[in-house]
Amino acid sequence: MTNSNFSDLSISEPILQGLQDMGFEHPTSVQEQCIPTLLKQKDVVGQAQTGTGKTAAFGIPVVQQTDVSISEVQTIIMCPTRELAIQVTGELIKIGKYLDGLQVIPVYGGQSISRQIKALKRGAHIVVGTPGRTIDHLRRGTMKLDHLQRVVFDEADEMLNMGFRQDMEQILSYADNPVQTIMFSATMSKGIQKIMKRYMNNPQTIAIERKKMTAPNIEQYMVEVRDSVRTEAICRFMDINGFSLALVFCNTKRKTEKVTRELQSRGYSSDFINGDLNQNQRDRVMAKFRSGAIDILVGTDVAARGLDIDDIEAVFNYDIPQDPEYYVHRIGRTGRAGRSGMAITFTTKSKRKQLRAIEKQIKTQLNPLDMPSTADVRLSRMDGMMEEVVEVLEKGSLRTYIEQIEGLGDDRFTTIEIAAALLKMQTAGTESEEQAQQPANYDDTAMIKMYFNVGKKNNVYPGDIVGAISGETSVPGNVIGNIDIYPKHSFVDVPGKYVKQIIGGMNQNKVKGKKVHVKVA
Ligand code: AMP
């Protein structure tokens, strides 16, 4: 954030009002530099990462220069992914909230083209699209560029990496008149420079200095830890810091799936996003992450592009990113919008050189950190529990419980000893949970008895348990054996090969409205 004001940047009144609603008080550095230049119709190449405020840096001038009285496409914004297109559209709509009649529409593959054609027919001023679908509309003639004033390429380097060079050039060649060309890119690769030379008119380059690239409110750490215990390390960091939303980056698709399975089998609600998922599947995972239904999202670099969730508390680099630029991109997913964040990179001694290269580029040294021990985890759980105890004490209504304690009757124990015993029982409970969350490999066919912490008092019937298991995991209902329901818990026999899946899929999920805890009985 800078000390200057948006009102110093020749921004019109309705847009200033929109920015106020968005809670933007001062322009970020990239906004301060880009907005005046773009308002003068100059071509600009902005070297800025996600998290710097780059969307508003081009979004504000684009919205301000739109003539809403002309119902024609005046700006095309190209984005590499559907998620980014949706995110950019959302931000532009907010910026233009007080600009009567402004129409911003996203066009991307995977959505019904007829819906988009209808929206385009109704008149769109700004189209935010992925390259393939945008070209498709141009070829079909469902989008006309007679009034096109400017083209923006967001995350241009990523579009080139994804093989969209031809599409990008084609968009520029569709425009009859010379248009203002704006490009944002994290890197200045040869491909970017070629486009600049060929299609841009004396572009002004605006680079956000590297040292400003990583936000100061992200604490950056490195932890030397073997591959085989990294998932466990993630769980412990989640627990001791009380994180509820985190992102894990892996270098390969296969690893995202493996890590997700490991997290699930430890009882953490987790899912993965990688290039193998189709658009629907990606949307579903993203919606779950947004709504908080999953706590840990595991992804590859490309799949997690355009992810704009402000509450991510931690980013784990399960693998060191292959390209230092990716490091900046990854950790920029946390510490957004003024919040603080934690970035933890796992490494080994043999990878020191690779890590040094990153540190050199970001001009920051990563602080070494030890993997938390189980004792650390237990202590932090106790701390958390003590806070809950204080809350309960403050709320009062403890008469019945006090009577129970008094009922212990004799003078053998002090009340402090009784409280300590209760605390021990609680934390010992969590220790055995830890063990249950790391299930052994059971004989595939033998039936294993599993404990569910729901029973008759929760109105649970066998059908509810079968339904929950088959609905929340891919375990078929017909393999589930005997089910015994007791007042407060139930036992369910399942074939050994499904134990991990059931623990991974069912823990934290709800049965009859109650969060369940499942373990081997
Ligand atoms: P971006 O780099 O465009 O992905 O923006 C990163 C985040 O910062 C988004 O959540 C924006 O809404 C937010 N943001 C952008 N500009 C500002 C600003 N001037 N003040 C506060 N938040 C901002």
Side-chain angles (χ1 to χ4, degrees):
M1 245 27 79
T2 64
N3 288 327
S4 60
N5 291 313
F6 281 112
S7 52
D8 302 332
L9 302 178
S10 318
I11 298 174
S12 64
E13 201 46 50
I15 292 178
L16 288 175
Q17 235 174 312
L19 297 177
Q20 199 175 352
D21 279 11
M22 294 165 84
F24 291 11
E25 289 173 7
H26 299 280
T28 64
S29 169
V30 67
Q31 289 161 2
E32 191 181 37
Q33 294 180 69
C34 285
I35 293 170
T37 315
L38 288 175
L39 285 175
K40 282 183 205 140
Q41 301 282 345
K42 295 222 163 79
D43 284 5
V44 164
V45 176
Q47 194 181 358
Q49 318 272 350
T50 299
T52 53
K54 68 180 168 66
T55 314
F58 65 77
I60 293 169
V62 160
V63 170
Q64 177 152 330
Q65 293 181 97
T66 303
D67 183 348
V68 284
S69 67
I70 303 173
S71 253
E72 303 282 350
V73 178
Q74 294 164 45
T75 302
I76 288 188
I77 300 170
M78 303 279 276
C79 299
T81 63
R82 166 184 176 155
E83 286 80 12
L84 186 62
I86 293 171
Q87 178 194 332
V88 169
T89 306
E91 186 131 335
L92 263 58
I93 289 174
K94 283 193 233 158
I95 292 171
K97 181 176 166 190
Y98 294 100
L99 221 66
D100 261 0
L102 178 74
Q103 292 296 332
V104 187
I105 68 156
V107 300
Y108 46 78
Q111 193 194 34
S112 135
I113 194 154
S114 53
R115 184 194 300 272
Q116 293 172 359
I117 292 173
K118 266 194 217 147
L120 286 165
K121 269 202 183 133
R122 279 198 296 270
H125 301 111
I126 302 170
V127 171
V128 188
T130 49
R133 187 52 73 91
T134 308
I135 297 278
D136 198 357
H137 281 292
L138 290 172
R139 287 213 185 106
R140 287 167 183 251
T142 44
M143 181 161 75
K144 303 242 164 40
L145 300 185
D146 306 336
H147 289 76
L148 188 73
Q149 303 284 324
R150 67 195 59 78
V151 175
V152 182
F153 294 113
D154 193 10
E155 301 202 349
D157 52 346
E158 204 47 42
M159 272 192 282
L160 289 177
N161 287 346
M162 289 164 83
F164 289 134
R165 189 180 55 84
Q166 258 190 340
D167 292 347
M168 290 164 75
E169 293 189 4
Q170 216 167 344
I171 298 278
L172 289 169
S173 60
Y174 259 94
D176 282 343
N177 321 316
V179 292
Q180 182 184 22
T181 309
I182 304 160
M183 193 151 63
F184 275 81
S185 172
T187 58
M188 293 294 264
S189 64
K190 283 217 173 82
I192 297 286
Q193 288 172 25
K194 255 192 206 159
I195 294 188
M196 280 167 68
K197 244 197 209 140
R198 196 144 160 214
Y199 295 97
M200 296 181 81
N201 177 21
N202 195 17
Q204 182 166 336
T205 309
I206 294 176
I208 298 307
E209 279 176 53
R210 274 200 197 294
K211 66 176 187 309
K212 286 188 197 154
M213 274 183 177
T214 60
N217 49 350
I218 304 174
E219 293 171 37
Q220 301 176 56
Y221 298 100
M222 51 168 272
V223 182
E224 266 185 23
V225 58
R226 284 194 320 276
D227 210 327
S228 58
V229 278
R230 287 182 181 175
T231 305
E232 179 62 26
I234 293 172
C235 298
R236 292 189 191 174
F237 280 117
M238 293 291 292
D239 287 354
I240 65 162
N241 292 292
F243 292 142
S244 45
L245 215 56
L247 198 53
V248 177
F249 281 100
C250 302
N251 287 356
T252 63
K253 295 186 224 172
R254 193 178 292 176
K255 222 180 240 181
T256 58
E257 291 168 31
K258 173 183 151 278
V259 174
T260 303
R261 274 196 308 274
E262 290 173 352
L263 286 168
Q264 287 174 346
S265 71
R266 284 167 163 78
Y268 292 79
S269 56
S270 164
D271 214 332
F272 62 86
I273 181 162
N274 67 31
D276 283 347
L277 301 191
N278 65 33
Q279 199 60 57
N280 273 343
Q281 291 167 317
R282 287 170 63 136
D283 287 349
R284 229 174 295 141
V285 174
M286 287 307 303
K288 279 201 276 179
F289 192 47
R290 261 177 234 285
S291 69
I294 50 176
D295 303 329
I296 309 177
L297 180 64
V298 187
T300 51
D301 289 284
V302 170
R305 281 250 164 183
L307 209 128
D308 70 324
I309 295 165
D310 283 339
D311 304 327
I312 297 172
E313 293 154 302
V315 167
F316 293 95
N317 290 317
Y318 191 96
D319 301 307
I320 298 179
Q322 277 144 347
D323 182 340
E325 296 284 354
Y326 281 159
Y327 176 84
V328 181
H329 246 281
R330 287 180 179 190
I331 73 158
R333 308 290 157 175
T334 184
R336 290 162 71 90
R339 292 182 178 83
S340 61
M342 195 165 175
I344 296 175
T345 302
F346 294 140
T347 180
T348 50
K349 282 203 173 64
S350 62
K351 295 275 164 72
R352 273 212 179 128
K353 229 171 131 188
Q354 223 177 318
L355 213 53
R356 289 276 168 277
I358 291 176
E359 289 182 326
K360 220 170 137 194
Q361 191 146 348
I362 60 169
K363 295 187 174 153
T364 306
Q365 267 200 328
L366 307 189
N367 293 316
L369 198 63
D370 286 332
M371 171 166 163
S373 65
T374 47
D376 294 336
V377 175
R378 208 173 315 126
L379 277 176
S380 88
R381 279 185 184 160
M382 276 201 225
D383 277 350
M385 214 167 287
M386 294 319 289
E387 281 170 27
E388 283 176 39
V389 167
V390 172
E391 254 177 59
V392 173
L393 284 169
E394 282 171 355
K395 276 196 190 135
S397 306
L398 294 170
R399 176 98 320 259
T400 332
Y401 303 92
I402 291 171
E403 279 165 12
Q404 280 291 325
I405 302 270
E406 282 171 349
L408 269 180
D410 53 40
D411 294 331
R412 273 185 303 157
F413 311 109
T414 63
T415 37
I416 291 199
E417 282 171 328
I418 296 170
L422 289 170
L423 184 61
K424 184 175 177 189
M425 281 160 66
Q426 283 293 323
T427 44
T430 48
E431 266 175 282
S432 61
E433 275 165 27
E434 265 177 19
Q435 283 153 10
Q437 280 160 7
Q438 298 163 38
N441 283 321
Y442 294 99
D443 182 342
D444 274 4
T445 48
M447 293 303 268
I448 304 292
K449 198 171 279 305
M450 300 197 69
Y451 164 91
F452 280 58
N453 67 335
V454 285
K456 277 203 186 95
K457 288 215 158 137
N458 310 98
N459 261 334
V460 166
Y461 292 91
D464 299 320
I465 291 188
V466 176
I469 293 177
S470 55
E472 300 297 341
T473 70
S474 45
V475 175
N478 61 4
V479 303
I480 296 167
N482 203 27
I483 298 182
D484 292 318
I485 311 247
Y486 294 91
K488 289 187 184 167
H489 63 272
S490 311
F491 290 111
V492 183
D493 291 345
V494 301
K497 69 172 176 183
Y498 293 121
V499 167
K500 276 189 188 177
Q501 231 169 307
I502 292 176
I503 290 179
M506 289 305 300
N507 269 319
Q508 305 293 331
N509 262 313
K510 287 185 178 166
V511 175
K512 282 279 170 90
K514 181 171 159 63
K515 243 188 193 177
V516 285
H517 182 68
V518 182
K519 58 187 178 184
V520 174

